[in-house]
Amino acid sequence: MSEPVLHHLRAGGVSVVLRTIGDRLPEVLHWGADLGDVPGAALADLDLASRPQQVTDQTNDPVQVSLLPELSAGWLGTPGLSGHFAGARSSHRFAVTDARFDADRAELEASDPSGLGLAVVLELSPQGLVRQRATVTNHAAAPYTLDAAHLILPVPARATEVLDFTGHHLRERAPQRAPWQLGVRSQDSRRGRTGLSSTTLMIAGEAGFSFGGGEVWGVHTAWSGNHRMYAEHHNDGRKLLGGGELLLPGEIVLAPGEDYTTPWLYYSYGVGLDELSARFHEWLRARPGRATRPRPVALNTWEAVYFDQRLEKLTELADAGAAVGVERFVLDDGWFGSRRDDTSGLGDWEVSADVWPDGLGPLIDHVRGTGMEFGLWVEPEMINVDSDLARAHPDWILAPVGRLPMEFRSQQVLNLTIPEAFAHIRGRLIALLDTYDIAYLKWDHNRDLIEACDPATGKALVHAQTAAFYRLVDDLKAAHPEVEIESCASGGGRVDLEVLERTDRVWASDCIDPLERQHIQRWTGLLLPPELVGAHVASPTSHSTGRTHDLSFRAATAMFGHFGLEWDLTAASETERARVAEWIAAHKRYRELLHTGRTVRADEPDPSRFVHGVVAPDRRHGLFAGVMLATSAHQPTPPVTLAGLDEDLTYEVTLVGVGTDDGGGWGRPLPWAEHGVRLSGRMLHRVGLVLPRLNPEHAVLLEVRAL
C-alpha cells in the first residue's frame, strides 16, 4: 500500500486536510476549525494518529471514504456514484490521473476502466465556506444510465445531534432536532422545486449546540429541482454529511461523449449556529453581480386588491404608498389574458385589454411619477389548460403518455425543454421588459412538478426543466441586467443558493402573520442574510391565519428583512398611515446596518421569547429585537442577553421609540428605559438587561452604540 500524501487547505478560519493514497480518490482527514500552519511532518503524524487498528472481520486495508464514496474502496454505506451500462458494469474504481492542489482549492481528474471519467472540484471561500461538485463523463461506446452522484464531507464523532427543517405552505422551515443515531437521516425533495417541506440545511453538532456555542457542521445542496441532503452514521463509527440531485429513473442517460455535473454542495462550520450562518451571509454578500444599492421598500398589491385590478384603485394605492415612503410598487397576479381568477390565463403573457384597455402604461407612468419603481408579478413556468397557449399547444404541457397529471391550483407545467415553448415564453417576457419601465419581477412558481414527463415518451424531465428555468432567467438578465427578480414559489418554495446566483431576493412565505414570520424568518436566516428575504407588513388581521396584531409587532418583524407592505393602505386610517411612515423612516435609518451587519440570536432559555439582532461589522452599533411570543412562565421576566458585541467596549443602550408605543401593558416605567443605560459588551453578553414588560405577540427594539 502506498504511503499517503497530505494536503492542507485553509481559508477563513477553516481547515480541510485531504489524504491521497496511491491513485485513489482523496478522503478528508479533517474539516473544521483552522489547524494553523502545520508542517508536513506534523500532518503525517496526524494521519498516523488517525489510522484505525486493523482487527479480524475487516478488509485487509483500511476502508477509504473519499469525497465520492466507492464500494471498491470497501465502503458499504451510501455510494457516491450509482449507475450502469444497460445493467452491467455498475461498480466503479476511479484512479486519479491528474491532481492540482492550491492553498484553498483542489482539482482532481480520474478515470474508471468502464470508460467513465470523473472530475471533482473542492474549494474554500475567503469566508471559510467549503463547496464541491463533480462531473461524470461517459467516454465509453455505450450509453451510461446515471442513478445518483453524491458528494460527502466527514464530521467528527463528537457531533451527536442533527438539526434539519421541514414545513408546508404558510409554515416553511420549521426546525426539527434529534440525536444522530446509526443509519441514514435523509431529507429528499421530489417536488421539482426546492420545496416548501425541504430542508435548507442539514446540520450536525455537538450535544446541546446553540446559536452561540457548540461546534456545528452543515451542508446545503444548491439546486432548485429534486435534491437530497443526508446525515449518515455508519456502524464503523464514521459520520458523513452529503447530498446531491435526486434523479428520477432514467432521467440522466449519458450518450458517448456526454457529461453530467452535480449541483454545488456547500458546507459551513462554526462554533455555534450564528458562526455557521455568518459564513453563508458573508459569501452571499461578496458575490459578483449582486445588487448593492439600498433595498427599496416595496408595496405589493396582492393582499390589497387580489384579482380586482382597476386603474383608479391602484393609482390611489400607489399614492398612499408613496406618501408613507414606499420606493417600489409591485402589481401582482391578474393583469394578463383571461386571468380574472386562478383558473385561467397562465401562459398568455399579454396585457389584458379587458382590465387594461390602454395597457399598463397609465399605471406605470403614474407610479414612476411618484418616484417609485414599478414591479410586476409573473409565473412563466406554468400554464392553465384554460388558456390560449394551452389550446394552441396542448403538447407543450409536461405530462405522462396519454393523460395530464392531476391539477394543482388549476394549473399544469409548461415544458420549457421544448425549444419552441422556451422561445415563446422568453419572447413574451422580453417584450414586456422592452415595452414597459419594469424594474422588478416577482417570479412565482405555484405548483409541484407531479409527473413532469415528456408526453411523447414518458421520460422524466425535472432535471431538464430546472436547467431550462435557469437558462430563461439568465437570458432575461442578459437582455435586461437592470431588472431585479424575486424567487417566489407558493411563498418560500424555491429558496436555495443556486436560484440566488441569478435572483435578488426570495419570498420567505405567503404567510405574513408576524407571529409565524418570527419563526420562518429566524430559520430562513440561517442560510440567507436579511436583505435577501422579503419581509412585509400585513394588514392588521392576517389573511392567512385570521390573527390580529398591532402595527408595532408587524413592523418590528418586517424590520429585519427586505422591508415592504402587503396592505390596502387606502383602507387604513390617517393615524395608521402616519405610524407606517414612521416605521418606514426607521427602517431606512437602520437599513445599512441591517443589510451589512452580522445577524446574532441570543440563546434565550425562555421559549416564550426571542431575542435577535444585527451588529455592525466593526461591532460598534447594533439593533436588537426583544420579542414576546407567548405568556412567559416568569413574572417579571428575567434579563435578556445581547450577543455579538465587543466585550471590551462600553455601549449606550436605548429603546427605539417607534417600537415602544403599544403592548407594554400596565405598571410603573422600566427604570432604565427613559434615559438609557451604559454597559460593557461583556455585561450585556454575560449579565444582560431587563426588557420592558410586553404582552404576548409584541416586540420592542433596542439600539446599542459604542461610546
Side-chain angles (χ1 to χ4, degrees):
M1 185 175 180
S2 302
E3 283 300 310
V5 179
L6 286 301
H7 306 274
H8 186 193
L9 282 59
R10 300 173 63 199
V14 170
S15 283
V16 175
V17 179
L18 296 170
R19 170 172 51 196
T20 59
I21 299 177
D23 63 358
R24 299 308 303 255
L25 294 175
E27 57 182 332
V28 175
L29 183 62
H30 168 79
W31 159 50
D34 187 5
L35 299 178
D37 188 8
V38 183
L43 283 177
D45 280 350
L46 179 66
D47 169 55
L48 187 63
S50 70
R51 296 184 197 176
Q53 182 179 3
Q54 291 302 106
V55 294
T56 59
D57 197 29
Q58 289 186 347
T59 56
N60 288 351
D61 294 322
V63 173
Q64 297 181 53
V65 185
S66 69
L67 299 171
L68 186 131
E70 296 177 286
L71 175 65
S72 59
W75 175 242
L76 298 177
T78 302
L81 186 67
S82 296
H84 56 88
F85 291 90
R89 292 178 287 170
S90 60
S91 185
H92 314 98
R93 198 280 192 193
F94 284 101
V96 174
T97 57
D98 189 26
R100 296 172 293 281
F101 296 92
D102 296 318
D104 56 4
R105 182 179 172 90
E107 295 182 67
L108 310 158
E109 294 182 12
S111 63
D112 178 73
S114 67
L116 292 181
L118 177 71
V120 179
V121 174
L122 181 148
E123 59 189 24
L124 275 74
S125 76
Q127 300 80 21
L129 208 61
V130 182
R131 69 174 187 170
Q132 59 175 337
R133 68 179 178 186
T135 298
V136 179
T137 304
N138 182 14
H139 296 299
Y144 177 75
T145 300
L146 178 66
D147 295 326
H150 296 140
L151 295 163
I152 63 92
L153 285 184
V155 296
R158 62 183 177 276
T160 58
E161 294 181 354
V162 177
L163 169 69
D164 58 19
F165 304 89
T166 184
H168 54 70
H169 186 228
L170 308 179
R171 195 177 182 272
E172 293 86 341
R173 283 167 292 288
Q176 52 184 16
R177 184 165 170 164
W180 194 354
Q181 298 177 331
L182 287 167
V184 179
R185 182 183 179 95
S186 178
Q187 282 281 12
D188 297 351
S189 175
R190 290 179 171 83
R191 296 177 176 271
R193 50 182 177 170
T194 317
L196 294 161
S197 63
S198 64
T199 188
T200 46
L201 288 161
M202 180 79 75
I203 297 170
E206 294 181 307
F209 69 84
S210 62
F211 289 112
E215 287 186 288
V216 285
W217 297 260
V219 60
H220 169 83
T221 301
W223 184 248
S224 308
N226 293 342
H227 66 277
R228 73 182 311 222
M229 282 170 263
Y230 65 93
E232 183 164 9
H233 183 185
H234 201 261
N235 59 11
D236 69 0
R238 298 181 205 246
K239 294 180 174 180
L240 315 173
L241 291 177
E245 185 177 6
L246 195 159
L247 297 172
L248 297 176
E251 192 167 18
I252 299 295
V253 178
L254 300 179
E258 290 185 338
D259 60 41
Y260 165 84
T261 299
T262 70
W264 281 110
L265 272 81
Y266 289 80
Y267 298 83
S268 186
Y269 162 81
V271 177
L273 292 170
D274 279 353
E275 186 175 58
L276 174 146
S277 175
R279 297 192 195 281
F280 285 110
H281 293 191
E282 292 165 9
W283 181 84
L284 283 161
R285 287 170 171 168
R287 292 171 302 155
R290 70 180 182 90
T292 55
R293 66 188 178 105
R295 300 293 74 216
V297 173
L299 189 157
N300 193 72
T301 66
W302 179 241
E303 290 193 4
V305 301
Y306 291 103
F307 288 104
D308 184 17
Q309 295 191 359
R310 291 173 285 116
L311 178 60
E312 181 180 2
K313 171 68 174 181
L314 288 166
T315 53
E316 183 185 3
L317 182 60
D319 289 341
V324 298
V326 170
E327 297 161 312
R328 173 183 284 163
F329 184 89
V330 183
L331 181 66
D332 211 286
D333 195 359
W335 56 268
F336 54 93
S338 60
R339 189 74 167 175
R340 308 290 79 81
D341 57 33
D342 67 357
T343 65
S344 71
L346 280 177
D348 299 336
W349 300 107
E350 297 183 0
V351 179
S352 171
D354 295 334
V355 179
W356 300 101
D358 298 315
L360 293 177
L363 176 61
I364 295 175
D365 290 344
H366 186 88
V367 168
R368 297 293 292 123
T370 67
M372 295 187 293
E373 299 176 356
F374 181 81
L376 193 64
W377 179 95
V378 293
E379 193 174 2
E381 299 151 86
M382 298 297 151
I383 186 170
N384 289 124
V385 173
D386 183 7
S387 67
D388 292 341
L389 185 63
R391 283 183 283 271
H393 298 284
D395 55 324
W396 285 7
I397 297 175
L398 285 171
V401 177
R403 58 181 172 82
L404 288 176
M406 63 189 301
E407 286 199 336
F408 190 100
R409 204 185 176 194
S410 301
Q411 63 194 57
Q412 299 287 356
V413 183
L414 183 68
N415 187 352
L416 293 179
T417 72
I418 297 174
E420 295 81 6
F422 182 96
H424 173 80
I425 292 299
R426 178 187 182 278
R428 292 307 310 140
L429 294 175
I430 289 180
L432 280 167
L433 298 177
D434 287 343
T435 303
Y436 295 113
D437 187 358
I438 297 170
Y440 174 84
L441 292 177
K442 181 180 175 69
W443 190 300
D444 215 338
H445 184 288
N446 281 305
R447 190 195 196 285
D448 291 334
L449 270 60
I450 301 169
E451 295 189 302
C453 302
D454 181 336
T457 65
K459 180 180 178 178
L461 291 179
V462 173
H463 171 87
Q465 179 78 0
T466 306
F469 157 66
Y470 289 153
R471 289 198 307 274
L472 182 58
V473 181
D474 290 344
D475 281 4
L476 262 63
K477 282 280 194 175
H480 286 273
E482 75 285 356
V483 174
E484 295 186 4
I485 297 177
E486 174 184 89
S487 173
C488 175
S490 308
R494 189 145 65 184
V495 176
D496 63 81
L497 294 187
E498 188 60 29
V499 81
L500 278 164
E501 285 290 308
R502 43 190 54 83
T503 57
D504 302 281
R505 79 169 204 173
V506 303
W507 185 230
S509 176
D510 282 343
C511 181
I512 42 179
D513 175 324
L515 182 61
E516 299 294 333
R517 271 299 186 110
Q518 283 287 336
H519 297 272
I520 293 167
Q521 290 172 200
R522 184 180 189 83
W523 298 109
T524 303
L526 273 190
L527 183 68
L528 305 183
E531 67 272 18
L532 293 182
V533 181
H536 290 187
V537 177
S539 55
T541 299
S542 170
H543 291 210
S544 58
T545 66
R547 280 193 289 247
T548 298
H549 292 105
D550 288 341
L551 175 60
S552 65
F553 188 46
R554 286 142 54 210
T557 301
M559 177 72 77
F560 292 85
H562 184 169
F563 193 92
L565 305 175
E566 196 100 6
W567 181 10
D568 184 3
L569 287 178
T570 67
S573 68
E574 289 300 320
T575 299
E576 285 177 315
R577 293 195 206 185
R579 298 299 290 141
V580 170
E582 289 182 26
W583 274 102
I584 290 176
H587 178 78
K588 291 177 180 177
R589 188 163 65 249
Y590 295 113
R591 180 161 53 187
E592 182 178 0
L593 166 66
L594 292 167
H595 294 174
T596 62
R598 180 166 179 169
T599 297
V600 294
R601 307 159 187 91
D603 289 312
E604 173 57 49
D606 187 341
S608 70
R609 296 195 296 189
F610 278 170
V611 179
H612 63 87
V614 175
V615 177
D618 63 4
R619 297 198 288 175
R620 299 189 63 84
H621 186 205
L623 184 71
F624 289 83
V627 183
M628 207 71 196
L629 302 168
T631 301
S632 176
H634 306 105
Q635 180 62 32
T637 53
V640 301
T641 58
L642 305 184
L645 301 171
D646 187 325
E647 296 200 346
D648 295 323
L649 291 178
T650 298
Y651 295 89
E652 182 173 25
V653 186
T654 56
L655 293 176
V656 178
V658 70
T660 59
D661 58 339
D662 52 19
W666 43 266
R668 296 178 181 178
L670 182 67
W672 69 266
E674 183 177 0
H675 302 293
V677 66
R678 296 182 175 189
L679 296 168
S680 70
R682 184 172 287 103
M683 292 175 179
L684 288 168
H685 187 208
R686 307 296 178 182
V687 181
L689 77 172
V690 174
L691 292 180
R693 182 190 181 279
L694 293 173
N695 289 328
E697 299 174 28
H698 285 82
V700 65
L701 299 184
L702 309 176
E703 183 174 12
V704 297
R705 281 192 180 274
L707 298 175

